[in-house]
Amino acid sequence: MISGDSIVALSSGRLPAGIAVLRISGLRTRFVVETIAGGMVKERTAVLRKLRAPDGTVLDTGLVVFFPGPASFTGEDVAEFHIHGGRAVVARMLETIAGFDGVRHAEPGEFTRRAFLNGKVDLVETEALADLINAETEAQRRFAVQNAEGAQSELYLGWRRRLIHARAMIEAEIDFADEDDVPGSVSDTVWSDVRSMILEIDRHIAGFHAAEVIRDGFEVVILGAPNAGKSSLFNALARRDAAIVTDEPGTTRDLLEVVLDLQGLRVRLTDTAGLREAPGKIEAIGIEKARAKAGRADLLLLLEDAADPRDAGSLPVAIPALRVGTKLDLLDGGAAYDAARRYEFGISVVEGTGVDGLLAEIGHRATQAAGGAGDVLPSRLRHVELLGAANRHLHRAADDGTPQELRAEELRLAADRLGRIVGAVDVEDLLDVIFSQFCIGK
């Protein structure tokens, strides 16, 4: 599909910059290049040209690259102008290009949307491109690259192909059971494969939490009684004074969060209000927030002042936790040794004792939660919901008590849900939502 309008946008980073890249796509691309660059340039070769407006005014000197469609990112003619990254230069170039008839400024994600509509990428690969642009850690980058290269799409399309084949076999058995060239019974083989697929999809869905850890972060929440050393540890792990630290109970009344990069993974660390009975009204709100946050955590750090232990009340029991004894520097050698043995980690923020070991353990737990580096995981809740719907249809299809015609229809519906994930089946209602998350120029 070739769009009527051509689109142009700044496709590089924030200005000012050393170099700015302007991208144009569409039917008018070749004419724009010929006009501004003073003639056509060799395809797929960076050519240095004096860039001029239609009235002959020199705009800049820069590189021009032309990618003829359909062998381009969008599937249309595409060109890039690599110019000096000053705000005035970029603004004048954009104004000039958008001044051509049939050329307009691009909407967010419009280049990638054209690539999707022209069959250059599917929806899963499109979402992976968004993840790659937003990647902040090495794990996020690896995850996005794997999906952008089609690993996730191939898994879903492979399941869909198996279902289409299974449905064809069942319908052939229904319609042509008396024909010699149709096997006497394919049901056993088909339904065995369907049941295997149900298990495969279930295992894949179970990996969504690992994908959430990679994309959104591993949630670590610090809990403990007032003055247990929570904010001091929080600052030590953040390597800055992110929380106020005093000897007055109840200083921390709201949730404080920092993001760490541990072993290439995003880790969200949250400091919370001290847990105690009969707090003040405002402090009670902070404590309620702390308990709610703890219930959604991947790991709890349960802090206790080793020199003055205090009860923090009931704590979530279903969440993995590390018991941490703090303030070992306030105890003498023997007492500090005995205290440290009562906890999984004994630390002193003042002296730095045990902090690096605790940080390493958090990184290890995050790595375990993220799963294997090569695992193909569902990267969006949208995928999980459609996979779940597909499996519900497959469960009904695998029911031996259901007539064959209805079982074949359930196979069709399951294949439809898998097709919706990659965009092989009508997904028009999703496109505006997906592409609105992209930056302009992508």
Side-chain angles (χ1 to χ4, degrees):
M1 186 196 80
I2 303 299
S3 302
D5 289 341
S6 295
I7 53 174
V8 63
L10 172 68
S11 290
S12 52
R14 182 179 302 175
L15 303 176
I19 297 293
V21 178
L22 307 187
R23 176 187 285 172
I24 178 172
S25 176
L27 291 171
R28 301 287 286 170
T29 299
R30 187 181 294 269
F31 178 73
V32 170
V33 170
E34 291 174 343
T35 303
I36 291 180
M40 200 54 204
V41 298
K42 185 178 179 181
E43 297 176 0
R44 303 183 183 284
T45 302
V47 180
L48 182 65
R49 288 289 178 89
K50 188 82 72 176
L51 307 177
R52 299 176 185 272
D55 63 4
T57 303
V58 175
L59 302 173
D60 195 10
T61 299
L63 297 176
V64 184
V65 189
F66 177 71
F67 305 91
S72 68
F73 173 67
T74 63
E76 305 170 336
D77 286 348
V78 172
E80 292 180 355
F81 295 94
H82 297 231
I83 61 176
H84 294 95
R87 290 189 176 91
V89 176
V90 171
R92 184 60 196 282
M93 279 287 294
L94 286 173
E95 178 186 7
T96 300
I97 296 173
F100 285 83
D101 288 340
V103 182
R104 60 174 174 80
H105 293 285
E107 299 294 331
E110 193 167 3
F111 287 94
T112 308
R113 184 169 187 152
R114 292 190 177 196
F116 167 73
L117 293 175
N118 289 324
K120 308 299 288 188
V121 293
D122 62 34
L123 275 189
V124 173
E125 291 166 345
T126 294
E127 291 166 328
L129 286 174
D131 288 342
L132 189 59
I133 292 169
N134 295 321
E136 297 178 342
T137 67
E138 175 61 16
Q140 289 173 334
R141 184 197 66 79
R142 289 197 307 267
F143 185 53
V145 166
Q146 181 187 45
N147 291 335
E149 291 181 342
Q152 199 177 354
S153 297
E154 183 53 38
L155 178 64
Y156 301 151
L157 289 173
W159 283 332
R160 185 168 181 261
R161 285 192 293 268
R162 285 163 64 184
L163 289 180
I164 291 173
H165 177 264
R167 180 185 168 206
M169 293 297 98
I170 293 300
E171 291 184 348
E173 185 177 78
I174 294 171
D175 295 337
F176 307 106
D178 57 343
E179 299 291 336
D180 294 337
D181 57 348
V182 176
S185 175
V186 296
S187 295
D188 290 345
T189 301
V190 167
W191 300 124
S192 175
D193 188 50
V194 167
R195 292 184 181 94
S196 296
M197 202 179 310
I198 290 173
L199 297 177
E200 292 171 25
I201 293 175
D202 279 340
R203 285 194 295 268
H204 183 68
I205 291 173
F208 182 56
H209 179 64
E212 287 184 303
V213 169
I214 294 172
R215 293 184 69 246
D216 303 326
F218 184 72
E219 292 274 4
V220 180
V221 176
I222 304 175
L223 294 177
N227 287 344
K230 299 183 299 300
S231 295
S232 295
L233 176 61
F234 181 75
N235 288 341
L237 296 178
R239 302 188 187 281
R240 62 185 176 89
D241 291 336
I244 298 173
V245 178
T246 72
D247 292 331
E248 180 181 341
T251 300
T252 301
R253 297 188 175 188
D254 206 347
L255 303 178
L256 299 176
E257 182 178 290
V258 295
V259 176
L260 310 178
D261 186 339
L262 298 182
Q263 301 179 24
L265 286 166
R266 178 183 172 94
V267 174
R268 293 209 301 264
L269 181 69
T270 303
D271 186 21
T272 63
L275 305 180
R276 62 172 174 171
E277 299 298 329
K281 183 176 181 180
I282 296 178
E283 190 181 348
I285 296 174
I287 291 175
E288 182 59 31
K289 284 186 176 182
R291 295 189 184 280
K293 183 73 172 179
R296 302 189 299 270
D298 295 304
L299 177 66
L300 303 178
L301 302 183
L302 306 181
L303 270 58
E304 188 173 82
D305 183 345
D308 182 21
R310 297 181 187 178
D311 182 27
S314 61
L315 298 170
V317 295
I319 308 298
L322 294 173
R323 296 186 65 250
V324 181
T326 65
K327 305 183 183 181
L328 296 189
D329 54 286
L330 299 181
L331 302 173
D332 60 34
Y337 176 77
D338 291 338
R341 294 178 62 187
R342 299 199 303 268
Y343 306 98
E344 291 169 90
F345 284 89
I347 67 170
S348 167
V349 171
V350 173
E351 297 176 347
T353 305
V355 174
D356 288 343
L358 178 59
L359 196 62
E361 178 62 20
I362 295 172
H364 175 68
R365 296 289 184 103
T367 300
Q368 285 185 318
D375 293 346
V376 179
L377 307 171
S379 56
R380 291 288 195 284
L381 181 59
R382 178 181 77 86
H383 305 168
V384 172
E385 290 173 345
L386 287 168
L387 288 165
N391 246 11
R392 288 191 291 275
H393 288 297
L394 291 182
H395 275 288
R396 288 194 284 269
D399 183 357
D400 292 332
T402 302
Q404 290 282 68
E405 293 84 353
L406 296 181
R407 298 174 81 180
E409 174 63 9
E410 294 293 348
L411 292 179
R412 185 192 69 80
L413 292 172
D416 174 86
R417 299 307 181 269
L418 293 173
R420 285 176 175 269
I421 300 177
V422 297
V425 180
D426 178 39
V427 288
E428 187 65 31
D429 55 337
L430 284 173
L431 298 187
D432 289 340
V433 174
I434 290 173
F435 291 107
S436 67
Q437 300 171 17
F438 278 75
C439 57
I440 293 175
K442 187 62 179 175

